[in-house]
Amino acid sequence: MQTRQKIGIFLMLMFMPINGPLWRMVLSELGYEVPLGEFQGFALTLVLFVIGAGLLIGPQIQRATK
C-alpha cells in the first residue's frame, strides 16, 4: 500500500459527512467557533472525503524513464 493510499484512507475516515457535527462539537469545545454554515461545512467534508477516495482508488503514477 502506497503512502498516497494511506493518506486517502485517513481523509475518508476523518471527513466522512456523518462526522461533520462531531467536528463542529470538538472545535466548539476547544473554543474555536466554526465560521461556516451547516451546508458549507457539509460541502467541505464531502469534498475532502471525495479527495481521499480519489487518492485511494487512483491509479499508480510512475515516472517516465529515459
Side-chain angles (χ1 to χ4, degrees):
M1 182 175 280
Q2 297 178 346
T3 305
R4 168 185 58 88
Q5 292 172 319
K6 291 177 185 177
I7 293 171
I9 290 173
F10 176 76
L11 283 174
M12 288 179 72
L13 290 175
M14 295 303 291
F15 295 108
M16 285 190 282
I18 194 73
N19 288 347
L22 179 65
W23 279 108
R24 193 174 295 274
M25 261 192 325
V26 168
L27 291 173
S28 174
E29 286 296 319
L30 293 174
Y32 180 75
E33 285 299 320
V34 180
L36 299 174
E38 291 293 324
F39 181 74
Q40 289 88 2
F42 173 74
L44 179 64
T45 58
L46 190 60
V47 166
L48 289 170
F49 181 81
V50 170
I51 289 172
L55 289 173
L56 179 63
I57 65 174
Q60 182 176 0
I61 301 172
Q62 296 179 353
R63 292 184 190 175
T65 58
K66 292 184 177 183

